Amino acid sequence: MAIATVNPANGETLRTFDELGAEQIEQRLAAAESAFRSYRTTGFSERARLLDRAADLLDQDQDDIARTMTIEMGKPLAAARAEAAKCAKAMRWYARNAEELLADEHPSQDEVADAGASHARVHYRPLGVVLAVMPWNFPLWQVVRFAAPALMAGNAGLLKHASNVPQTALYLGDLFRRAGFPDGVFQTLLVSSSAVEGILRDPRVAAATLTGSEPAGRSVAAIAGDEVKKTVLELGGSDPFVVMSSADIERAAAVAVTARVQNNGQSCIAAKRFLVHADVHEEFTRSFTARMAALAVGDPLAESTDVGPLATEQGRADVEALVDDAVRRGATALCGGQRPKHLPKDLSKGWFYEPTVLTGITPEMRIHREEAFGPVATVYRVQGIDEAVELANDTPFGLSSNVWTRDKAEQERFVRDIEAGGVFFNGMTASHPALPFGGVKRSGYGRELSGHGIREFCNATTVWHAAEPGNGS
């Protein structure tokens, strides 16, 4: 795949970039390893100063980088601005909290004595150079939620970004340089996927993190496993959005639209399967479908646009194939189900797809098992909580979940039984720097964000001091 900016709203190639050669990759690996050796000894106050400066610069650049993201992958401009603001917020959160999150841990004095020590503690040290393989759908946020904690922990970072967002990738490398981080501490590598294995196998790379598809995750995990290197994987999702009879139906339907079409429907944590109690199924489906059909599809740079194009031509083809398969096997498209027919001429070659609601889904349909990475929702009718839980878990993925119920007993049942990395009640799934983020099953392993995320790429070092003879220990 070429490293290029291709505007998904019209299919126009705007810029192309040369891939780094072997000598250039070697230079960057050497620079990263050298930078880590000195950067790891800096204090939290210095790292926080640098990260706060990066956040300030990002705020200043918000309009420009938002436009770049929109042109490269098609998200509505307002959403791109919000993404940039969220990244600055996360940087400041880690700058403020990293030292406390990585503070030494001290067992009780009784435990210390039982271990035969005069004193003992757990001390967190950075692992080293971490390779980040990142996707195009949230091209700024996915990187920052790795980079902010990794850099605050004292690691160095190498970014292999998706090949269709090279300008965003280069911006990130430049942002940390402008903020004053030492040369080599964070670098963007413009390379294809074929170069990842060699970089990951290099002994100067200590670990890797990947957000992306299940096949990509399997590949990186296999290589890292062969090299005995730590990985964190955030892969696909087919999140359930459960609506029980006690829910506020109109509010649930309104939030459901945002939960499904955020980022043009291209989000791992977007709600994709809507499991609705029979008592409120008709009311919810009617409201949800009307709201989906009313969304404005068009130029993502226009402030009035709700849904822009899919990021790639193949991505739209994949969504079309899932919908066509379902309809052919008996599903009903209550709205959408095709490419928009009334777009302006200048957008006629863009990779747009209508917001779509499907009902009548059965297990033999591909969309029942596969992730729909676009503005397509599937609505199921369930008879009660047992069926809701069973259907929510009837997926190879387990990233997050949304549950709408005001019944406390039902809430506890869903917390206990839903197989996912998160359960969000009466609201949509969202990521926040203070809360751990990640999944189970084929959605990956490990956690990003919060204290869990910053400790993923740290060495939890046991520090033990022998008890002095004769002190009674």
Side-chain angles (χ1 to χ4, degrees):
M1 180 179 180
I3 299 176
T5 296
V6 181
N7 188 342
N10 56 25
E12 180 183 355
T13 300
L14 301 178
R15 289 187 65 183
T16 59
F17 297 83
D18 293 329
E19 183 176 352
L20 296 180
E23 184 176 342
Q24 293 167 307
I25 293 173
E26 166 58 30
Q27 290 171 351
R28 283 158 175 77
L29 284 166
E33 200 272 340
S34 176
F36 167 68
R37 292 300 165 195
S38 57
Y39 180 69
R40 65 188 292 273
T41 66
T42 59
F44 284 107
S45 60
E46 173 62 7
R47 297 173 200 166
R49 183 186 69 80
L50 296 172
L51 197 58
D52 275 331
R53 175 58 178 157
D56 291 343
L57 290 170
L58 180 53
D59 281 340
Q60 295 171 22
D61 298 342
Q62 184 182 114
D63 287 341
D64 288 341
I65 188 56
R67 184 177 178 85
T68 297
M69 286 190 284
T70 294
I71 289 173
E72 288 203 305
M73 57 71 56
K75 71 172 71 235
L77 189 58
R81 291 195 200 99
E83 181 174 339
K86 183 175 184 176
C87 289
K89 176 181 178 179
M91 289 178 180
R92 294 188 177 102
W93 190 89
Y94 272 108
R96 184 172 67 250
N97 292 290
E99 184 171 10
E100 181 179 351
L101 294 171
L102 296 180
D104 287 355
E105 297 174 7
H106 299 272
S108 71
Q109 195 55 46
D110 286 345
E111 291 168 325
V112 170
D114 191 55
S118 60
H119 54 284
R121 59 193 169 102
V122 178
H123 179 67
Y124 289 99
R125 297 187 294 173
L127 283 183
V129 178
V130 182
L131 172 65
V133 182
M134 293 288 116
W136 46 260
N137 56 333
F138 291 95
L140 212 62
W141 172 240
Q142 305 281 17
V143 178
V144 167
R145 74 185 193 194
F146 146 74
L151 294 177
M152 279 306 301
N155 294 291
L158 293 173
L159 170 63
K160 187 281 182 232
H161 218 324
S163 294
N164 60 326
V165 290
Q167 293 187 70
T168 305
L170 291 170
Y171 169 82
L172 283 158
D174 189 55
L175 174 68
F176 291 114
R177 180 194 61 77
R178 290 160 54 209
F181 282 90
D183 290 345
V185 166
F186 187 94
Q187 300 175 82
T188 292
L189 308 178
L190 289 187
V191 296
S192 65
S193 297
S194 62
V196 169
E197 179 170 358
I199 296 169
L200 183 50
R201 288 191 184 278
D202 191 284
R204 290 166 290 190
V205 173
T209 180
L210 177 141
T211 298
S213 68
E214 184 183 340
R218 287 178 180 274
S219 176
V220 165
I223 296 165
D226 190 49
E227 296 290 337
V228 198
K229 294 181 179 181
K230 174 73 177 290
T231 53
V232 170
L233 302 181
E234 192 264 280
L235 308 179
S238 190
D239 290 5
F241 188 106
V242 182
V243 183
M244 300 299 287
S245 57
S246 66
D248 180 335
I249 301 305
E250 279 304 303
R251 183 164 170 261
V255 173
V257 173
T258 304
R260 177 61 285 229
V261 303
Q262 59 175 315
N263 208 43
N264 304 337
Q266 300 164 122
S267 170
C268 295
I269 58 169
K272 299 182 175 78
R273 299 174 299 130
F274 296 80
L275 320 181
V276 187
H277 194 284
D279 291 349
V280 295
H281 180 272
E282 183 177 346
E283 180 185 357
F284 173 86
T285 303
R286 181 174 58 250
S287 179
F288 178 51
T289 301
R291 293 170 185 274
M292 288 282 282
L295 294 170
V297 179
D299 183 355
L301 290 172
E303 297 291 348
S304 59
T305 293
D306 297 311
V307 180
L310 278 295
T312 67
E313 188 171 16
Q314 183 60 53
R316 182 177 65 176
D318 291 343
V319 169
E320 285 180 315
L322 287 176
V323 174
D324 292 348
D325 171 79
V327 171
R328 186 171 62 252
R329 295 175 184 271
T332 299
L334 299 181
C335 68
Q338 59 187 352
R339 302 178 184 185
K341 298 187 183 306
H342 304 294
L343 290 173
K345 185 176 180 180
D346 62 326
L347 302 179
S348 61
K349 294 183 179 180
W351 303 316
F352 295 89
Y353 196 77
E354 291 183 343
T356 300
V357 177
L358 297 176
T359 60
I361 304 300
T362 56
E364 67 269 12
M365 297 173 186
R366 289 177 53 201
I367 202 167
H368 181 73
R369 294 283 179 184
E370 299 179 31
E371 180 181 21
F373 217 58
V376 177
T378 54
V379 180
Y380 298 77
R381 182 193 300 267
V382 297
Q383 297 301 320
I385 192 168
D386 290 340
E387 187 179 1
V389 169
E390 181 181 4
L391 192 53
N393 292 337
D394 188 24
T395 171
F397 301 107
L399 193 52
S400 191
S401 60
N402 310 257
V403 179
W404 289 73
T405 176
R406 289 179 278 202
D407 186 303
K408 298 299 183 183
E410 287 183 346
Q411 290 178 0
E412 289 307 310
R413 171 73 187 281
F414 283 112
V415 169
R416 186 191 75 184
D417 289 346
I418 280 190
E419 298 166 351
V423 186
F424 286 70
F425 287 107
N426 303 318
M428 67 180 241
T429 297
S431 54
H432 185 280
L435 298 172
F437 180 83
V440 296
K441 301 196 288 189
R442 293 189 181 179
S443 288
Y445 52 75
R447 290 296 180 266
E448 297 177 295
L449 302 176
S450 76
H452 296 274
I454 197 170
R455 288 189 287 269
E456 286 283 6
F457 296 114
C458 288
N459 173 8
T461 308
T462 297
V463 182
W464 182 95
H465 296 262
E468 294 294 330
N471 70 354
S473 298

